[in-house]
Amino acid sequence: MNRILNSILDRLVTEGSRYPAIQVDEDLYSEFNEGISTAESDSGPRLRIRPPRENPGMDASINLYETIHEPRESKIGLGRHQLVSTDSHIHSHEMVYDEGKLQFFFKPETRVDANQVERQIRKNYPDAQITEANKQFPTIDRGDHIAMAKMRLKRPFYYPIKCKIAEEDFEMDPYGDITSDMVVEEDQTSSGERVLAEDCRVMVQTVFEPARDVWTKQRPYGINVTEAAAKIKEGELVGNMAKGYEVRDPGSKRTRTAKIIDKLHGAKGYYFTVRVLAISPHKEIAERRCNTVASDFEKYYNSFTEQGLTPVSIEPEEVPNHLEQMAERTHSISWTDRLKVGPAGGAPLQTVSALGSIAHIPNESINTPVVDWAKQQTGPGIPAESRQSDDVERAVGEDGSEGPEKSTFGGHKTGPPTSADPSPVSEPAAEAGGVPERNTPDNHTGESEPEGADGNADTPPSHDERDSGILDPDPLAADNGEREDEEDEDDQNPLGNNRRSGD
C-alpha cells in the first residue's frame, strides 16, 4: 500500500510542471554552442529591428511575408512524369527578453535574403531602425535551467487560425499578453526568493519556410480546398437504422467555415514552427515563465473554424535537439510530415495572413514596458540605414542607480549636429583635463551640447525626456545674472533647462 502511495506521489511531483525544465550541463552547453557556430557560419546576419511606436503592426508583416514568399521549385523529368523538388530557404522571427529589454529580430537564411527582408521592412515600417546584431542568442550559462514548449494545430491545416483572411480579426494585438508575460521586472519563487530581471530570459522563435502553391489545390502535398469547402457545406447525416436517417442542415457556422476555407484557393502558405524558451537560474521560474507565455498562444483560436494553436511541452530528453535547432534557426520537417494523406499532415501549415499574425512587428498598442522602440524618427540628421550600438550601455553610480543610455547610430551623435565641436567630448570634460566623458548620470557619450548665446538647446525636450527626468545641467546658468526672468523657471527645475534633445 505504501509503495502504491509513494508511486502516486512521485508521479504527482514529476507531473507537477506542465513544462519541466532541465539544467544546462557541459554536454548541453557544448551542443548549444555548436548550433550557434553553425548558424553564424552558413546563414545570414541576425537583424535587430527597433520599430517606431506608431507603425502598421500586423498588416505590414503580412505584406512582408507575401513579398518574400519563394518556394524555389525545380523540376526533374519530362512531360507528365516530372517530379518537383523544392529548396525553400528557412528564416526565423524572434522576440527576446534579455538583459531587461524586449527586442525583435529576423534571422534570414542567407545574406541575400537578409537584404530583401531589410528592404521590405524599410518599405512597410519606414521609420524602423535596423542593425546587424552582435549577440546571436539569449545568454545561457552552465547551471541554468531551461524549459521549452512548441505549438501544434488543433485541426487539419486548411482550417485557418484567427487572422484577417479567416474573417475574425483581433480586437487587440495578441502580443500584448505574450510580451507582458515575457517581461519579468520582478518576481518571486515559492520560497519567497526575489527574482530580478536578469534572472530570467525568454525567447519566442517562429521558424518559417514557403510552401508550394499545391497546398490548397491537390494531394499529396495539399488538398483541394474548394472540394473540402463543398463537403463542409453538405448537410450532416444523422439517425440510425431503427428510426431512420435524415440530413441535418449544416447551419450558419459550418456554412461560414466553408466560405472561409474556399477563399484559401491559390493563397500563399508557410510551414512554420513556434517554440518558447525560458531560461533562469531558478528551475521554478523557467517552468512558470514557459507555461504563461506558451498559454498565451491559445488566443489565436478561431471560433468559426475552431482552429487554433495548442501549446505542447518539449520533454526533457527532446530539449537538447530543439535547443540546437533554435540556435541554428531551423526545423526538421521530413517529407512524410509534409504529405497530406490522412485528415491532416504532421507539419503546421497556414496562410501568409496567419503567419503575419503569429510573427509580426507590433506597435505601441501592446502597452508593454521595456520594449526596444526606435529612439527617434529618421530624418536628415540620422538616416534610417545608420548602424547602432547593439548593446545599450549604462553606467552604474556609487548608489547603485543606473545612468542614462549610451547609444550611437552608425557613428552619428544623438544630439543636434554642431560644426564647432565635432567630437563627442563635452566642454566640462575638456576643461577638466581633456579626458573624454564616460556615460555617467551627468553626461552622455555620443552627444554634443548645442551652441547658443545662453548655452540652452534650441530644440524643446522630447516627451521621453520629460518622463525620464534625465536633464543635463547648464554650466552657464549659474553665471548668467542677466536672465532674471528665467530664474523663476530654474527654481522649479533645479537642473537647469538645457535638456538633451533627440534620444
Side-chain angles (χ1 to χ4, degrees), residues 94-215:
E94 298 165 0
M95 287 190 297
V96 178
Y97 176 67
D98 189 17
E99 298 179 348
K101 295 179 294 184
L102 182 67
Q103 299 178 319
F104 306 96
F105 301 90
F106 275 96
K107 177 75 169 175
E109 180 164 320
T110 67
R111 182 164 288 278
V112 173
D113 295 329
N115 293 337
Q116 183 186 20
V117 169
E118 183 174 350
R119 288 194 301 270
Q120 292 304 316
I121 292 175
R122 294 200 189 284
K123 174 185 175 183
N124 291 284
Y125 300 90
D127 294 317
Q129 296 168 346
I130 308 171
T131 58
E132 292 187 10
N134 295 325
K135 192 172 183 179
Q136 297 298 313
F137 209 82
T139 304
I140 295 181
D141 295 321
R142 298 175 184 87
D144 280 341
H145 293 85
I146 59 176
M148 298 182 70
K150 62 181 178 180
M151 304 298 147
R152 69 182 180 193
L153 296 174
K154 292 181 179 291
R155 303 196 68 184
F157 68 96
Y158 52 88
Y159 287 86
I161 62 172
K162 191 173 186 178
C163 60
K164 287 188 176 296
I165 200 171
E167 299 184 5
E168 188 176 18
D169 204 359
F170 296 95
E171 295 181 4
M172 299 291 294
D173 190 334
Y175 273 16
D177 291 327
I178 294 173
T179 56
S180 294
D181 284 333
M182 291 176 68
V183 172
V184 184
E185 295 185 288
E186 187 171 334
D187 203 349
Q188 282 187 340
T189 64
S190 56
S191 61
E193 184 177 358
R194 185 182 177 190
V195 179
L196 301 178
E198 57 267 24
D199 291 331
C200 187
R201 285 87 70 193
V202 182
M203 179 177 186
V204 175
Q205 182 190 76
T206 303
V207 176
F208 57 94
E209 62 172 299
R212 293 172 54 201
D213 61 357
V214 296
W215 80 280

Side-chain angles (χ1 to χ4, degrees), residues 342-359:
L349 173 60
Q350 285 281 288
T351 65
V352 167
S353 179
L355 179 63
S357 65
I358 295 172

